[in-house]
Amino acid sequence: SPDIAEAGVRLSVDPKTRGTLMHAWFECIEWLDNDTGVPDEALLRRRASELTVPAAAVDPLLSAFYQAVQRPETRRVFERQSLNSIEVFSPFRAAIASGQAVPKVERERTFALLHQNELVLGSIDRLVLLIQDGRPIAADIIDFKTDRFGGERRRWIEARRLHYGPQLEEYRFAVSQCFGVPLPQICTRLLLIEADAVIDTSAASGS
């Protein structure tokens, strides 16, 4: 079964290599609209080669990646038609529908800024900026996580939210500073790939 096959992949490929490659492959996606947008195998193999991932690890991970992008919650993150379901974008539904507000995807967006006299460095896996009249008016930050899923689902997901929430708050602050988007108009979400779960961590920050 697919679940047994995926378990074999997790055991045969070390977690760091798996995480690095799955991140890189998901960052190849701009949008998944209908049957378009899924990166082809040649592109994925080229990206793996650039990261010097051993060929023996690539084949089993290709299968795991293609299975992951078809799961409903994971896929919805990359569907343009799901933009209206993002809370910070919902006030702009009419502008999105008319084309006055346009989403712009940035992938692996690095940043460096001073915060409370400390240098904060980071890289955002996926950043969707909503652009109107040439400036960003809202933003959706998505962080990919490949943590191994185990135990009771609800507790496992809550533990990931608590663990990664502070990191995503740093990303949120960085996007606000770099793009001039007010904090209440920026949401942060975790895409937990193995669990096919998307968690809004900004909801817990009081915004």
Side-chain angles (χ1 to χ4, degrees):
S1 73
D3 289 342
I4 294 173
E6 278 203 42
V9 169
R10 291 198 297 268
L11 291 171
S12 63
V13 180
D14 73 271
K16 185 177 179 181
T17 297
R18 185 178 190 278
T20 297
L21 193 52
M22 293 293 272
H23 269 77
W25 284 349
F26 272 100
E27 286 164 1
C28 291
I29 301 171
E30 183 175 19
W31 296 109
L32 293 176
D33 294 320
N34 299 319
D35 294 325
T36 64
V38 178
D40 64 29
E41 186 176 325
L43 172 61
L44 298 181
R45 287 188 181 278
R46 188 162 62 248
R47 191 76 184 94
S49 177
E50 291 168 358
L51 294 169
T52 64
V53 174
V58 174
D59 286 339
L61 286 178
L62 275 171
S63 175
F65 172 76
Y66 282 124
Q67 287 177 24
V69 296
Q70 296 303 326
R71 295 185 186 122
E73 294 304 316
T74 298
R75 186 176 182 86
R76 195 169 291 122
V77 167
F78 301 94
E79 290 180 333
R80 211 183 315 245
Q81 65 193 33
S82 298
L83 285 174
N84 287 338
S85 66
I86 300 169
E87 187 175 352
V88 296
F89 289 177
S90 60
F92 308 104
R93 284 176 182 169
I96 293 170
S98 68
Q100 293 177 333
V102 180
K104 177 186 178 185
V105 178
E106 300 218 8
R107 292 163 282 184
E108 205 171 0
R109 181 62 156 81
T110 57
F111 64 85
L113 57 84
L114 278 173
H115 181 41
Q116 298 178 344
N117 294 319
E118 289 189 12
L119 181 62
V120 179
L121 304 172
S123 178
I124 298 170
D125 293 334
R126 182 178 177 86
L127 171 63
V128 181
L129 296 165
L130 192 62
I131 309 293
Q132 186 172 37
D133 297 327
R135 66 180 184 87
I137 56 174
D140 180 33
I141 297 167
I142 300 138
D143 200 42
F144 309 144
K145 296 301 180 186
T146 57
D147 298 34
R148 185 172 296 179
F149 174 58
E152 199 272 320
R153 179 182 174 85
R154 185 180 57 79
R155 289 181 182 177
W156 183 87
I157 288 174
E158 178 63 9
R160 305 281 83 69
R161 185 186 67 77
L162 292 173
H163 181 71
Y164 293 117
Q167 173 192 353
L168 285 170
E169 271 303 291
E170 287 190 351
Y171 290 0
R172 194 162 169 252
F173 178 80
V175 168
S176 181
Q177 294 295 303
C178 294
F179 294 98
V181 181
L183 283 171
Q185 287 305 123
I186 303 172
C187 74
T188 53
R189 298 190 291 162
L190 282 173
L191 170 56
L192 304 172
I193 293 168
E194 282 215 9
D196 186 38
V198 180
I199 309 303
D200 186 345
T201 63
S202 51
S205 67
S207 63

